[in-house]
Amino acid sequence: MMHEIDDPVLLSPSQLVSSSKLSKNLGAYLNEARKRPIFVTREQEVEAVLLNLDDYRELLREEQKIEDLYLAVLALRRLAENAETPERLLEMDEVLERFGITREELAEAPGDEMES
């Protein structure tokens, strides 16, 4: 369980609903979840988040982008570590193309800044 101080989730009290209240008013909370996430509590602890499907799909897309960027960076590091001569290295654009990543997406990734 995350400590409150480490938890990046910011929410208003109006976004909190108990699991029992949710079960009694599911339709209303499904409508509300179209506008913003609803945090479901049980025994005064947040247990789940009710999220609209489009937002969930966007989270999955972002997660995939991050994973792809991580794999591209890992591949670049391995190439650099295992290269005997500079001629054996692939161009960065070639590696990015193989992973279907643009320089712009790489530049937007969190972490080290990419040089142009």
Side-chain angles (χ1 to χ4, degrees):
M1 176 192 268
M2 261 187 171
H3 298 290
E4 267 187 55
I5 214 162
D6 297 330
D7 194 343
V9 176
L10 297 176
L11 57 108
S12 71
S14 65
Q15 288 176 273
L16 290 172
V17 62
S18 69
S19 57
S20 59
K21 190 172 179 182
L22 175 70
S23 67
K24 292 175 187 171
N25 302 295
L26 183 58
Y29 286 107
L30 287 173
N31 290 336
E32 186 65 26
R34 289 181 182 146
K35 301 175 211 160
R36 61 187 177 165
I38 301 297
F39 295 83
V40 183
T41 62
R42 183 169 42 185
E43 297 178 14
Q44 299 182 349
E45 292 287 328
V46 174
E47 293 283 325
V49 179
L50 187 59
L51 191 63
N52 79 54
L53 191 55
D54 289 335
D55 288 347
Y56 180 70
R57 285 181 177 137
E58 182 61 27
L59 284 173
L60 291 177
R61 281 191 292 272
E62 291 301 316
E63 179 184 38
Q64 186 61 53
K65 283 181 190 177
I66 291 169
E67 185 176 333
D68 290 346
L69 289 170
Y70 171 78
L71 292 173
V73 168
L74 186 60
L76 287 169
R77 285 183 179 161
R78 286 183 179 166
L79 284 170
E81 290 169 359
N82 294 318
E84 292 177 8
T85 64
E87 291 78 32
R88 291 195 59 222
L89 288 177
L90 296 173
E91 292 292 324
M92 182 173 173
D93 289 329
E94 184 179 351
V95 174
L96 292 174
E97 184 179 329
R98 287 183 186 182
F99 283 96
I101 298 170
T102 66
R103 282 183 171 264
E104 291 78 19
E105 290 172 327
L106 190 59
E108 292 171 1
D112 297 338
E113 293 297 321
M114 184 182 84
E115 292 182 23
S116 299

